Coordinates of all heavy atoms in Angstrom, one line a residue:
M1 N 71.0 112.7 148.6 CA 69.8 112.7 147.9 C 68.7 112.0 148.8 O 69.0 111.0 149.3 CB 69.9 112.0 146.6 CG 68.8 112.2 145.7 SD 69.1 111.6 144.0 CE 68.4 110.0 144.1
K2 N 67.6 112.7 148.8 CA 66.5 112.1 149.7 C 65.3 111.9 148.8 O 64.8 112.8 148.1 CB 66.2 113.1 150.8 CG 65.0 112.7 151.7 CD 64.8 113.8 152.7 CE 63.5 113.7 153.4 NZ 63.2 114.8 154.3
V3 N 64.7 110.7 148.8 CA 63.5 110.4 148.0 C 62.3 111.0 148.7 O 62.1 110.7 149.9 CB 63.3 108.9 147.8 CG1 62.0 108.6 147.0 CG2 64.5 108.4 147.0
I4 N 61.5 111.8 148.1 CA 60.3 112.4 148.6 C 59.1 111.7 148.3 O 58.2 111.4 149.0 CB 60.2 113.9 148.2 CG1 61.4 114.7 148.7 CG2 58.9 114.5 148.6 CD1 61.5 116.1 148.1
K5 N 59.0 111.3 147.0 CA 57.9 110.5 146.5 C 58.4 109.5 145.4 O 59.2 109.8 144.5 CB 56.9 111.5 145.8 CG 55.7 110.9 145.2 CD 54.7 111.9 144.7 CE 53.4 111.3 144.2 NZ 52.5 112.3 143.7
E6 N 57.8 108.3 145.5 CA 58.2 107.3 144.5 C 57.0 106.4 144.3 O 56.5 105.7 145.1 CB 59.4 106.4 145.0 CG 59.8 105.4 144.0 CD 61.0 104.6 144.4 OE1 61.5 104.8 145.6 OE2 61.5 103.8 143.6
T7 N 56.4 106.5 143.1 CA 55.4 105.7 142.6 C 55.8 105.1 141.3 O 56.9 105.3 140.8 CB 54.1 106.4 142.4 OG1 54.2 107.4 141.3 CG2 53.6 107.2 143.6
K8 N 54.9 104.3 140.6 CA 55.3 103.6 139.4 C 55.6 104.7 138.3 O 56.5 104.5 137.5 CB 54.2 102.7 138.9 CG 54.5 101.9 137.7 CD 53.3 101.0 137.4 CE 53.7 100.2 136.1 NZ 52.6 99.3 135.7
K9 N 54.9 105.8 138.3 CA 55.0 106.8 137.2 C 55.6 108.1 137.7 O 55.9 109.0 136.8 CB 53.7 107.0 136.5 CG 53.1 105.8 136.0 CD 52.7 106.1 134.5 CE 52.2 104.8 133.9 NZ 52.5 104.7 132.5
E10 N 55.9 108.3 139.0 CA 56.4 109.6 139.5 C 57.6 109.3 140.4 O 57.5 108.4 141.2 CB 55.3 110.4 140.2 CG 54.2 110.8 139.3 CD 53.1 111.5 140.1 OE1 52.5 110.9 141.0 OE2 52.9 112.7 139.8
Y11 N 58.5 110.3 140.4 CA 59.7 110.2 141.2 C 60.1 111.6 141.6 O 60.3 112.4 140.7 CB 60.8 109.4 140.5 CG 61.9 108.9 141.4 CD1 61.7 108.0 142.4 CD2 63.2 109.4 141.2 CE1 62.8 107.6 143.2 CE2 64.3 109.0 141.9 CZ 64.1 108.1 142.9 OH 65.1 107.6 143.7
E12 N 60.2 111.9 142.9 CA 60.6 113.2 143.3 C 61.7 113.0 144.4 O 61.6 112.2 145.3 CB 59.4 113.9 143.9 CG 59.7 115.4 144.3 CD 58.5 116.2 144.7 OE1 57.4 115.6 144.9 OE2 58.7 117.4 145.0
V13 N 62.7 113.8 144.2 CA 63.9 113.7 145.1 C 64.3 115.1 145.5 O 64.2 116.1 144.7 CB 65.1 112.9 144.5 CG1 64.8 111.5 144.3 CG2 65.6 113.6 143.2
E14 N 64.9 115.2 146.7 CA 65.6 116.4 147.1 C 67.1 116.2 146.9 O 67.6 115.2 147.4 CB 65.3 116.7 148.6 CG 65.9 117.9 149.1 CD 65.5 118.2 150.6 OE1 64.5 118.8 150.8 OE2 66.3 117.7 151.5
I15 N 67.7 117.1 146.3 CA 69.2 116.9 146.0 C 69.9 117.9 146.8 O 70.1 119.1 146.5 CB 69.4 117.2 144.5 CG1 68.5 116.3 143.6 CG2 70.9 116.9 144.2 CD1 68.6 116.5 142.2
T16 N 70.4 117.5 148.0 CA 71.1 118.3 148.9 C 72.4 118.8 148.4 O 73.2 118.1 147.8 CB 71.3 117.5 150.2 OG1 70.1 116.9 150.7 CG2 71.9 118.4 151.3
G17 N 72.6 120.1 148.6 CA 73.9 120.7 148.3 C 74.1 121.1 146.8 O 75.2 121.5 146.4
E18 N 73.0 121.0 146.0 CA 73.2 121.3 144.6 C 72.4 122.6 144.3 O 71.7 123.2 145.2 CB 72.7 120.2 143.7 CG 73.6 118.9 143.8 CD 75.0 119.2 143.4 OE1 75.3 120.1 142.6 OE2 75.9 118.5 143.8
S19 N 72.6 123.1 143.1 CA 71.9 124.3 142.7 C 71.2 124.2 141.3 O 71.1 123.1 140.8 CB 73.0 125.4 142.7 OG 73.9 125.1 141.6
H20 N 70.9 125.3 140.8 CA 70.3 125.3 139.4 C 71.1 124.6 138.4 O 70.5 124.0 137.5 CB 70.0 126.8 139.0 CG 69.0 127.5 139.9 ND1 67.7 127.3 139.7 CD2 69.2 128.4 140.8 CE1 67.0 128.0 140.6 NE2 67.9 128.7 141.2
S21 N 72.4 124.7 138.5 CA 73.3 124.2 137.4 C 73.0 122.7 137.2 O 72.7 122.3 136.1 CB 74.8 124.4 137.8 OG 75.1 125.7 137.9
L22 N 73.1 121.9 138.2 CA 72.9 120.4 138.0 C 71.5 120.1 137.8 O 71.1 119.3 136.9 CB 73.4 119.7 139.3 CG 73.1 118.2 139.3 CD1 73.9 117.5 138.1 CD2 73.5 117.5 140.6
C23 N 70.6 120.8 138.5 CA 69.1 120.5 138.4 C 68.6 120.8 137.0 O 67.9 120.0 136.4 CB 68.3 121.2 139.4 SG 68.7 120.6 141.1
N24 N 69.0 121.9 136.4 CA 68.6 122.3 135.1 C 69.2 121.4 134.1 O 68.5 121.1 133.1 CB 68.9 123.8 134.8 CG 68.0 124.3 133.7 OD1 66.8 124.0 133.6 ND2 68.6 125.2 132.9
T25 N 70.4 121.0 134.2 CA 71.0 120.1 133.3 C 70.3 118.7 133.3 O 70.1 118.2 132.3 CB 72.5 119.9 133.7 OG1 73.2 121.2 133.6 CG2 73.2 119.0 132.7
L26 N 70.0 118.2 134.5 CA 69.3 117.0 134.6 C 67.9 117.1 134.0 O 67.4 116.2 133.3 CB 69.2 116.5 136.1 CG 70.4 115.9 136.7 CD1 70.2 115.7 138.2 CD2 70.7 114.6 136.1
R27 N 67.2 118.2 134.3 CA 65.9 118.4 133.8 C 65.9 118.4 132.2 O 65.1 117.7 131.6 CB 65.3 119.7 134.3 CG 63.9 120.0 133.7 CD 63.5 121.5 133.9 NE 64.4 122.3 133.1 CZ 64.3 122.6 131.8 NH1 63.4 122.0 131.1 NH2 65.1 123.4 131.3
K28 N 66.8 119.1 131.7 CA 66.9 119.2 130.2 C 67.3 117.8 129.6 O 66.7 117.4 128.6 CB 68.0 120.2 129.8 CG 67.6 121.2 128.9 CD 68.6 122.2 128.6 CE 68.3 122.7 127.2 NZ 69.1 123.7 126.7
T29 N 68.1 117.1 130.2 CA 68.5 115.8 129.8 C 67.4 114.8 129.9 O 67.1 114.0 129.0 CB 69.8 115.3 130.5 OG1 70.8 116.2 130.4 CG2 70.3 114.0 130.0
L30 N 66.6 114.9 131.0 CA 65.4 114.0 131.1 C 64.4 114.3 130.1 O 63.8 113.3 129.5 CB 64.8 114.3 132.5 CG 65.5 113.6 133.7 CD1 65.1 114.3 135.0 CD2 65.1 112.1 133.8
M31 N 64.3 115.5 129.6 CA 63.3 115.8 128.6 C 63.7 115.3 127.2 O 62.9 115.3 126.3 CB 63.0 117.3 128.6 CG 62.2 117.8 129.8 SD 60.7 116.9 130.2 CE 59.7 117.1 128.8
E32 N 64.9 114.9 127.0 CA 65.4 114.3 125.8 C 64.9 112.8 125.7 O 64.9 112.2 124.6 CB 66.9 114.3 125.7 CG 67.5 115.7 125.6 CD 69.0 115.7 125.7 OE1 69.6 114.6 125.8 OE2 69.6 116.8 125.8
D33 N 64.5 112.3 126.8 CA 64.0 110.9 126.9 C 62.5 110.8 126.5 O 61.7 111.4 127.1 CB 64.2 110.4 128.4 CG 63.9 108.9 128.6 OD1 63.2 108.3 127.8 OD2 64.4 108.4 129.6
D34 N 62.3 109.9 125.5 CA 60.9 109.8 125.0 C 60.0 109.2 126.1 O 58.8 109.3 126.0 CB 60.8 108.9 123.8 CG 61.5 109.6 122.6 OD1 61.5 110.9 122.5 OD2 61.9 108.9 121.6
D35 N 60.5 108.4 127.1 CA 59.7 107.8 128.2 C 59.3 108.8 129.3 O 58.5 108.5 130.1 CB 60.4 106.7 128.8 CG 60.6 105.5 127.8 OD1 59.8 105.4 126.9 OD2 61.5 104.7 128.0
V36 N 59.9 110.0 129.2 CA 59.6 111.0 130.3 C 58.5 112.0 129.8 O 58.6 112.6 128.7 CB 60.9 111.8 130.6 CG1 60.6 112.9 131.6 CG2 61.9 110.9 131.2
E37 N 57.5 112.1 130.6 CA 56.3 113.0 130.2 C 56.6 114.4 130.8 O 56.2 115.3 130.2 CB 55.0 112.4 130.9 CG 54.6 111.1 130.3 CD 53.4 110.6 131.1 OE1 52.5 111.4 131.5 OE2 53.3 109.3 131.2
A38 N 57.2 114.5 131.9 CA 57.5 115.7 132.6 C 58.7 115.6 133.5 O 58.9 114.6 134.1 CB 56.3 116.2 133.4
A39 N 59.5 116.7 133.5 CA 60.6 116.9 134.4 C 60.7 118.3 134.8 O 60.6 119.2 134.0 CB 61.9 116.4 133.7
A40 N 60.8 118.5 136.1 CA 60.9 119.9 136.6 C 61.6 119.9 137.9 O 61.8 118.9 138.6 CB 59.5 120.5 136.8
Y41 N 62.1 121.1 138.3 CA 62.6 121.2 139.7 C 62.2 122.6 140.3 O 61.8 123.5 139.5 CB 64.2 121.0 139.6 CG 64.9 122.3 139.1 CD1 65.4 123.2 140.0 CD2 65.1 122.5 137.8 CE1 66.1 124.3 139.5 CE2 65.8 123.5 137.3 CZ 66.3 124.5 138.1 OH 66.9 125.6 137.7
V42 N 62.4 122.6 141.6 CA 62.1 123.9 142.3 C 63.0 124.0 143.4 O 63.4 123.0 144.0 CB 60.6 123.9 142.8 CG1 60.3 122.8 143.8 CG2 60.2 125.3 143.3
I43 N 63.4 125.3 143.7 CA 64.2 125.6 144.9 C 63.3 126.6 145.6 O 63.2 127.8 145.1 CB 65.6 126.2 144.5 CG1 66.4 125.1 143.7 CG2 66.3 126.6 145.8 CD1 67.8 125.6 143.3
E44 N 62.7 126.2 146.7 CA 61.7 127.1 147.3 C 62.2 128.3 148.0 O 61.5 129.3 148.1 CB 60.9 126.2 148.3 CG 60.0 125.1 147.6 CD 59.4 124.1 148.5 OE1 59.6 124.2 149.7 OE2 58.7 123.3 148.0
H45 N 63.5 128.3 148.5 CA 64.1 129.4 149.1 C 65.5 129.7 148.4 O 66.3 128.7 148.4 CB 64.2 129.3 150.6 CG 64.6 130.5 151.3 ND1 65.9 131.0 151.3 CD2 63.9 131.4 152.0 CE1 66.0 132.1 152.0 NE2 64.7 132.4 152.4
P46 N 65.7 130.8 147.9 CA 67.0 131.0 147.1 C 68.3 130.9 148.0 O 69.3 130.6 147.4 CB 66.9 132.5 146.6 CG 65.8 133.1 147.5 CD 64.9 132.0 148.0
I47 N 68.2 131.1 149.3 CA 69.4 131.0 150.1 C 69.5 129.6 150.8 O 70.5 129.0 150.8 CB 69.4 132.1 151.2 CG1 69.5 133.5 150.4 CG2 70.6 132.0 152.1 CD1 69.4 134.7 151.3
I48 N 68.4 129.2 151.4 CA 68.5 128.0 152.2 C 67.8 126.8 151.6 O 67.8 125.7 152.2 CB 68.0 128.2 153.7 CG1 66.6 128.7 153.7 CG2 69.0 129.2 154.4 CD1 65.9 128.7 155.0
G49 N 67.1 127.0 150.6 CA 66.3 125.9 149.9 C 67.1 124.9 149.3 O 68.2 125.1 148.7
Q50 N 66.6 123.6 149.4 CA 67.3 122.5 148.7 C 66.5 122.2 147.4 O 65.2 122.1 147.5 CB 67.4 121.3 149.6 CG 68.2 121.5 150.8 CD 69.6 121.8 150.5 OE1 70.2 121.3 149.6 NE2 70.2 122.7 151.3
P51 N 67.1 121.9 146.3 CA 66.3 121.7 145.1 C 65.6 120.3 145.2 O 66.0 119.4 145.7 CB 67.4 121.5 144.0 CG 68.7 121.8 144.6 CD 68.5 121.9 146.1
K52 N 64.4 120.4 144.6 CA 63.5 119.2 144.5 C 63.3 118.9 143.0 O 62.8 119.8 142.4 CB 62.2 119.4 145.3 CG 62.4 119.5 146.8 CD 61.1 119.7 147.5 CE 61.4 120.0 149.0 NZ 60.2 120.5 149.6
L53 N 63.6 117.8 142.6 CA 63.5 117.3 141.2 C 62.4 116.4 141.0 O 62.3 115.4 141.8 CB 64.8 116.7 140.7 CG 64.9 116.3 139.3 CD1 64.9 117.5 138.3 CD2 66.1 115.4 139.0
Y54 N 61.5 116.7 140.1 CA 60.3 115.8 139.9 C 60.3 115.2 138.5 O 60.7 116.0 137.5 CB 59.0 116.7 140.0 CG 57.7 116.0 139.6 CD1 57.1 115.1 140.5 CD2 57.2 116.2 138.3 CE1 55.9 114.5 140.1 CE2 56.0 115.6 137.9 CZ 55.4 114.8 138.8 OH 54.2 114.1 138.5
V55 N 60.1 113.9 138.4 CA 60.1 113.3 137.1 C 58.8 112.4 137.0 O 58.4 111.7 137.9 CB 61.3 112.3 136.9 CG1 61.3 111.7 135.5 CG2 62.6 113.0 137.2
K56 N 58.1 112.5 135.8 CA 57.0 111.7 135.5 C 57.2 111.0 134.2 O 57.6 111.6 133.3 CB 55.7 112.6 135.5 CG 54.5 111.8 135.2 CD 53.2 112.7 135.2 CE 52.0 111.9 135.0 NZ 50.8 112.7 134.9
G57 N 56.9 109.7 134.2 CA 57.1 108.9 133.0 C 56.9 107.4 133.2 O 56.4 107.0 134.2
K58 N 57.3 106.7 132.2 CA 57.1 105.2 132.2 C 57.9 104.6 133.4 O 57.4 103.8 134.1 CB 57.6 104.6 130.9 CG 56.7 104.6 129.8 CD 57.3 103.9 128.6 CE 56.3 103.9 127.4 NZ 56.8 103.2 126.3
N59 N 59.2 104.9 133.6 CA 60.0 104.4 134.7 C 60.9 105.6 135.1 O 62.0 105.7 134.7 CB 60.8 103.2 134.2 CG 61.5 102.6 135.3 OD1 61.8 103.2 136.4 ND2 61.9 101.3 135.2
P60 N 60.3 106.5 135.9 CA 61.1 107.8 136.2 C 62.4 107.6 136.9 O 63.3 108.3 136.7 CB 60.1 108.5 137.0 CG 59.1 107.6 137.5 CD 59.0 106.5 136.5
K61 N 62.5 106.6 137.8 CA 63.7 106.3 138.5 C 64.8 105.9 137.5 O 66.0 106.4 137.6 CB 63.5 105.3 139.6 CG 64.8 105.1 140.4 CD 64.5 104.1 141.6 CE 65.6 103.9 142.5 NZ 65.3 103.0 143.6
K62 N 64.5 105.0 136.6 CA 65.5 104.6 135.6 C 65.8 105.7 134.7 O 67.0 105.9 134.3 CB 64.8 103.4 134.8 CG 65.8 102.9 133.8 CD 65.2 101.7 133.0 CE 66.1 101.3 131.9 NZ 65.5 100.4 130.9
S63 N 64.8 106.5 134.3 CA 65.1 107.7 133.4 C 66.1 108.6 134.1 O 67.0 109.2 133.5 CB 63.8 108.4 133.1 OG 63.1 107.6 132.2
L64 N 65.9 108.9 135.4 CA 66.8 109.7 136.2 C 68.2 109.2 136.2 O 69.2 109.9 136.0 CB 66.3 110.0 137.6 CG 67.2 110.9 138.5 CD1 67.4 112.3 137.8 CD2 66.5 111.1 139.8
Q65 N 68.3 107.9 136.4 CA 69.7 107.2 136.4 C 70.3 107.4 135.1 O 71.5 107.7 135.0 CB 69.5 105.7 136.8 CG 69.1 105.5 138.3 CD 68.8 104.1 138.5 OE1 68.4 103.3 137.7 NE2 68.9 103.6 139.8
T66 N 69.6 107.1 134.0 CA 70.1 107.3 132.7 C 70.6 108.7 132.4 O 71.6 109.0 131.8 CB 69.1 106.8 131.6 OG1 68.7 105.5 131.9 CG2 69.6 107.0 130.2
A67 N 69.7 109.7 132.8 CA 70.1 111.1 132.6 C 71.4 111.4 133.4 O 72.2 112.2 132.9 CB 68.9 112.0 133.1
A68 N 71.5 110.9 134.6 CA 72.7 111.2 135.4 C 73.9 110.7 134.7 O 75.0 111.3 134.6 CB 72.6 110.6 136.8
E69 N 73.8 109.5 134.1 CA 74.9 108.9 133.4 C 75.2 109.7 132.1 O 76.5 109.8 131.8 CB 74.6 107.4 133.0 CG 74.5 106.5 134.2 CD 73.9 105.1 133.9 OE1 73.7 104.8 132.7 OE2 73.7 104.3 134.8
T70 N 74.2 110.2 131.5 CA 74.5 111.0 130.3 C 75.2 112.3 130.6 O 76.1 112.7 130.0 CB 73.1 111.3 129.6 OG1 72.5 110.0 129.2 CG2 73.3 112.1 128.4
V71 N 74.7 113.0 131.7 CA 75.3 114.2 132.1 C 76.8 113.9 132.5 O 77.7 114.7 132.1 CB 74.6 114.8 133.3 CG1 75.4 115.9 134.0 CG2 73.2 115.3 132.9
K72 N 77.1 112.8 133.2 CA 78.5 112.5 133.6 C 79.3 112.3 132.3 O 80.4 112.8 132.2 CB 78.5 111.2 134.4 CG 79.8 110.8 134.9 CD 79.8 109.6 135.7 CE 81.3 109.2 136.1 NZ 81.3 107.9 136.8
S73 N 78.8 111.6 131.3 CA 79.5 111.3 130.1 C 79.8 112.6 129.3 O 80.9 112.8 128.9 CB 78.7 110.3 129.3 OG 79.3 110.1 128.0
R74 N 78.8 113.4 129.3 CA 79.0 114.7 128.6 C 80.0 115.6 129.3 O 80.8 116.3 128.6 CB 77.7 115.4 128.4 CG 76.7 114.7 127.4 CD 75.4 115.4 127.3 NE 74.5 114.7 126.4 CZ 73.2 115.0 126.3 NH1 72.6 115.9 127.0 NH2 72.5 114.3 125.4
S75 N 80.0 115.5 130.6 CA 81.0 116.3 131.4 C 82.4 115.8 131.1 O 83.3 116.7 131.0 CB 80.6 116.3 132.9 OG 79.4 116.9 133.1
E76 N 82.5 114.5 131.1 CA 83.9 114.0 130.9 C 84.3 114.3 129.5 O 85.5 114.6 129.3 CB 83.8 112.4 131.1 CG 83.7 112.1 132.5 CD 83.4 110.6 132.8 OE1 83.2 109.8 131.8 OE2 83.4 110.2 134.0
E77 N 83.4 114.3 128.5 CA 83.8 114.7 127.1 C 84.2 116.1 127.1 O 85.2 116.4 126.4 CB 82.6 114.4 126.2 CG 82.9 114.7 124.8 CD 81.7 114.5 123.8 OE1 80.7 113.8 124.3 OE2 81.7 115.0 122.7
L78 N 83.5 117.0 127.8 CA 83.9 118.4 127.8 C 85.2 118.6 128.4 O 86.0 119.4 127.9 CB 82.8 119.2 128.5 CG 83.1 120.7 128.7 CD1 83.3 121.4 127.3 CD2 82.0 121.4 129.5
K79 N 85.5 117.9 129.5 CA 86.7 118.0 130.2 C 87.9 117.6 129.3 O 88.9 118.3 129.2 CB 86.7 117.1 131.4 CG 88.0 117.2 132.2 CD 87.9 116.2 133.4 CE 89.2 116.2 134.2 NZ 89.2 115.2 135.3
S80 N 87.7 116.5 128.5 CA 88.7 116.0 127.6 C 89.0 117.1 126.5 O 90.1 117.3 126.1 CB 88.2 114.8 126.9 OG 88.2 113.7 127.8
L81 N 87.9 117.7 126.0 CA 88.1 118.8 125.0 C 88.8 120.0 125.5 O 89.7 120.5 124.8 CB 86.7 119.2 124.5 CG 86.0 118.2 123.6 CD1 84.5 118.6 123.3 CD2 86.7 118.0 122.3
I82 N 88.6 120.3 126.8 CA 89.3 121.4 127.4 C 90.7 121.1 127.5 O 91.6 121.9 127.2 CB 88.6 121.9 128.7 CG1 87.2 122.4 128.5 CG2 89.5 122.8 129.5 CD1 86.4 122.6 129.7
I83 N 91.0 119.9 128.0 CA 92.4 119.5 128.2 C 93.1 119.5 126.9 O 94.3 119.9 126.7 CB 92.5 118.2 128.9 CG1 92.1 118.4 130.4 CG2 93.9 117.6 128.9 CD1 91.9 117.1 131.2
S84 N 92.4 119.0 125.9 CA 93.0 118.8 124.5 C 93.3 120.2 124.0 O 94.4 120.4 123.3 CB 92.0 118.1 123.6 OG 92.5 118.0 122.3
S85 N 92.4 121.2 124.1 CA 92.6 122.5 123.6 C 93.8 123.2 124.3 O 94.5 124.0 123.7 CB 91.4 123.4 123.7 OG 91.1 123.8 124.9
E86 N 93.9 122.9 125.7 CA 95.0 123.5 126.4 C 96.4 123.0 125.9 O 97.3 123.7 125.7 CB 94.9 123.2 127.9 CG 93.9 124.0 128.6 CD 93.7 123.5 130.1 OE1 94.2 122.4 130.5 OE2 93.0 124.2 130.8
D87 N 96.4 121.7 125.6 CA 97.6 121.0 125.0 C 98.0 121.7 123.7 O 99.1 121.9 123.3 CB 97.4 119.5 124.9 CG 97.3 118.8 126.2 OD1 97.7 119.5 127.2 OD2 96.9 117.7 126.3
E88 N 96.9 122.0 122.9 CA 97.2 122.5 121.5 C 97.7 124.0 121.6 O 98.6 124.4 120.8 CB 95.9 122.6 120.7 CG 95.4 121.2 120.2 CD 96.4 120.6 119.2 OE1 96.9 121.3 118.4 OE2 96.7 119.4 119.4
T89 N 97.2 124.8 122.6 CA 97.7 126.1 122.7 C 99.2 126.2 123.3 O 99.9 127.2 123.1 CB 96.8 127.0 123.7 OG1 96.7 126.3 124.9 CG2 95.4 127.1 123.0
K90 N 99.6 125.1 124.0 CA 101.0 125.1 124.5 C 102.0 124.8 123.4 O 103.2 125.0 123.6 CB 101.1 124.1 125.6 CG 100.3 124.5 126.9 CD 100.4 123.4 127.9 CE 99.7 123.8 129.2 NZ 99.7 122.8 130.2
K91 N 101.6 124.3 122.3 CA 102.5 123.9 121.2 C 103.0 125.1 120.5 O 102.5 126.1 120.3 CB 101.8 122.9 120.2 CG 101.6 121.6 120.9 CD 101.0 120.6 119.8 CE 100.8 119.3 120.4 NZ 100.2 118.3 119.5

């Protein structure tokens, strides 16, 4: 991850090696935060472009950290549900 812009109310990063899946999930999770005014991302070239995520709000860096933790937690919960359902079908 490379920081492109960091001010008190704006934070923009380039997320190397990621795609729409992670960026859209982060964007959506960021928009659940009342302290976030705006969250968006762009991939300028569909083949070689690296996603750039933009966050505007009270403390955008903290909001992005919180969103990442939320996405991780939700992913772990989904993984547990999948494993649990696999165990149920084997019975």
Side-chain angles (χ1 to χ4, degrees):
M1 193 171 93
K2 176 183 167 185
V3 177
I4 297 170
K5 180 179 184 177
E6 183 173 5
T7 67
K8 186 176 178 182
K9 299 232 177 213
E10 295 179 298
Y11 195 62
E12 186 175 1
V13 292
E14 181 178 275
I15 306 173
T16 308
E18 292 301 334
S19 66
H20 292 284
S21 298
L22 177 63
C23 294
N24 199 36
T25 302
L26 282 172
R27 180 197 61 80
K28 230 176 154 176
T29 305
L30 281 161
M31 291 308 298
E32 294 171 4
D33 185 339
D34 291 336
D35 292 338
V36 173
E37 294 174 36
Y41 76 95
V42 65
I43 300 176
E44 293 172 356
H45 190 281
I47 297 172
I48 60 171
Q50 298 299 323
K52 293 178 184 166
L53 181 69
Y54 171 81
V55 185
K56 181 178 180 181
K58 281 186 180 178
N59 188 339
K61 186 175 182 179
K62 181 181 176 192
S63 291
L64 180 55
Q65 290 170 335
T66 301
E69 291 169 6
T70 300
V71 169
K72 180 180 178 185
S73 173
R74 290 176 181 172
S75 296
E76 289 170 354
E77 182 180 345
L78 176 60
K79 181 181 175 182
S80 294
L81 289 171
I82 292 168
I83 289 169
S84 178
S85 78
E86 287 176 345
D87 291 344
E88 289 296 317
T89 59
K90 288 179 182 177
K91 289 182 180 181

